[in-house]
Amino acid sequence: MPRPLVATIDISALRHNLAVARRQAGGAKVWAVVKADAYGHGLARGMRGFADADGLALIEPDYAVRLRELGWRKPVLLLEGFFDKADLLVAVQHEFQVVVHCEEQIALLETALPAGAQLDVHLKMNSGMNRLGFKPAIYHDAHARLRRIAGVRGIALITHLANADEADNPALPLARQLTNFAEGAQDLPGQRSVANSAADLLHPEAAADWVRAGIMLYGGTPCSRAAAEFDLLPAMTLRSEIIGVQNLDAGDAVGYGSRFVAPQPMRIGVVACGYADGYPRHAPTGTPVLVNGVRTSTLGRISMDMLMVDLSGIADAAVGSPVVLWGEGLPIDEVANAAGTIGYELMCALAARVHIEQIEQNNA
């Protein structure tokens, strides 16, 4: 019998969330972001769920090639562009579009782009986040340099927003970034891409020609509001079972480090899931979990292969009782918030040893 820990990926939820992203974007086209193996959901499953997207965007050139092998013929965008000449040649061969964010990439285009090749590029502006991109003052110069390269067919204009989920952040307000981008790209031709998931959900004024939807497509939210408020559905549900039950006396301790001590007699359950499966080790006592559909919480320190939960008030809980760690009935963002992290990390950290099942429901 296999270990009773299963991650269920709902393709129809992916499809539904893409429709939400498109609806929020107005008339803008949608890049569906599938980096990090589609946020842990699997590249092939992401491609299937996002079949109606206008393009797929990701970081990894090898995964981009895999998309072509799987049959994706619409645009593919490499969000960090190419890392060396070999990647550039792969991009040309497979007709990928590439982000250009530094002088070194432009120089490589000038010297290594094969004669007769045609490549669409997305010139990235550093509008204030200070990760990648050209600052507004030199953006026009970078654009002019790209235009002089014979093999550069089209130049789109792109930037990334640091605080779309916190528009009034005093260090970098959203309005300042939007102004920086507008002024730095003034009078330049080309389609524009500004909005990420947070902007798509909260700031329709940032939609431009394309939006780049990421976490929202998987049923997570990049802001403090619940995903369900935006009609987003969880695409990943992590389920397990109770594999052991212990009856504690007052004063009994639980788990490594004895971090939880029973204040009174109580029943606890042992769940087949731990940090080696991708559950956050730093999740504290009180992190929410469902047992038999009833909301309860973790107790003590998370182990490699197990975690403990409070069975108080769940009289019918026993070995074999179903457990939801996150997903359907328990938003992943609630678990992440309790653990001091974000839903993105939990999705991407799902371990290879976790069995994955794919379903499709009529909810799109």
Side-chain angles (χ1 to χ4, degrees):
M1 177 179 176
R3 187 163 174 253
L5 179 64
V6 177
T8 302
I9 308 298
D10 188 344
I11 301 298
S12 50
L14 298 174
R15 191 177 300 123
H16 171 92
N17 295 338
L18 174 64
V20 173
R22 190 178 296 284
R23 184 170 69 241
Q24 290 288 127
K29 294 181 179 180
V30 180
W31 290 110
V33 180
V34 293
K35 62 183 179 178
D37 200 24
Y39 286 53
H41 293 65
L43 196 66
R45 287 183 285 270
M47 191 183 88
R48 182 171 178 177
F50 307 140
D52 292 335
D54 299 291
L56 299 179
L58 69 172
I59 301 295
E60 308 89 349
D62 53 340
Y63 277 35
V65 172
R66 181 64 180 146
L67 287 174
R68 292 296 193 219
E69 293 171 346
L70 289 168
W72 184 264
R73 295 294 173 257
K74 289 192 278 188
V76 172
L77 175 62
L78 292 174
L79 290 167
E80 291 180 0
F82 45 88
F83 302 101
D84 55 26
K85 180 179 178 180
D87 288 339
L88 174 57
L89 296 180
V90 167
V92 171
Q93 176 186 356
H94 294 281
E95 298 184 345
F96 300 151
Q97 300 180 30
V98 298
V99 167
V100 171
H101 59 76
C102 64
E103 295 280 347
E104 290 78 5
Q105 287 178 323
I106 295 181
L108 199 56
L109 286 170
E110 291 171 331
T111 59
L113 194 60
Q118 293 289 296
L119 192 67
D120 290 317
V121 305
H122 295 243
L123 181 61
K124 188 160 193 174
M125 182 189 296
N126 173 9
S127 57
M129 193 172 187
N130 289 312
R131 291 198 313 187
L132 301 177
F134 297 88
K135 290 192 174 182
I138 60 172
Y139 194 69
H140 272 71
D141 293 337
H143 190 278
R145 192 171 165 190
L146 285 173
R147 290 183 64 183
R148 291 193 291 269
I149 301 173
V152 172
R153 177 171 48 202
I155 307 173
L157 316 178
I158 187 171
T159 195
H160 194 61
L161 301 174
N163 299 312
D165 59 328
E166 187 186 3
D168 296 326
N169 186 300
L172 183 62
L174 173 64
R176 185 190 304 167
Q177 268 202 278
L178 295 178
T179 297
N180 288 346
F181 182 68
E183 292 179 351
Q186 187 174 5
D187 298 327
L188 290 178
Q191 293 196 323
R192 303 182 179 210
S193 176
V194 177
N196 52 12
S197 287
D200 188 44
L201 292 172
L202 300 171
H203 304 286
E205 71 276 12
D209 299 296
W210 289 77
V211 300
R212 303 184 306 279
I215 188 66
M216 67 179 295
L217 298 180
Y218 304 94
T221 176
C223 64
S224 58
R225 291 169 58 185
E229 292 185 38
F230 300 105
D231 190 30
L232 297 172
L233 301 176
M236 176 191 291
T237 297
L238 185 62
R239 293 182 174 90
S240 189
E241 294 179 3
I242 299 291
I243 61 171
V245 174
Q246 296 290 339
N247 293 295
L248 305 186
D249 294 324
D252 284 350
V254 174
Y256 287 118
S258 300
R259 296 297 181 88
F260 176 81
V261 176
Q264 59 200 23
M266 61 188 298
R267 292 174 73 234
I268 67 168
V270 181
V271 179
C273 182
Y275 62 77
D277 302 300
Y279 198 88
R281 182 179 182 272
H282 53 276
T285 291
T287 299
V289 62
L290 301 181
V291 176
N292 281 352
V294 179
R295 189 183 183 96
T296 183
S297 62
T298 63
L299 298 173
R301 183 178 284 171
I302 306 301
S303 302
M304 178 179 284
D305 311 302
M306 292 172 278
L307 57 84
M308 280 64 75
V309 296
D310 186 359
L311 299 183
S312 301
I314 313 177
D316 58 346
V319 170
S321 290
V323 176
V324 173
L325 285 312
W326 65 64
E328 189 175 354
L330 180 60
I332 193 170
D333 297 308
E334 284 192 37
V335 178
N337 289 339
T341 185
I342 55 178
Y344 305 66
E345 182 178 11
L346 301 189
M347 293 176 187
C348 294
L350 189 71
R353 74 176 186 171
V354 177
H355 178 66
I356 295 178
E357 294 180 350
Q358 176 179 305
I359 62 171
E360 286 195 52
Q361 304 177 47
N362 187 27
N363 60 6

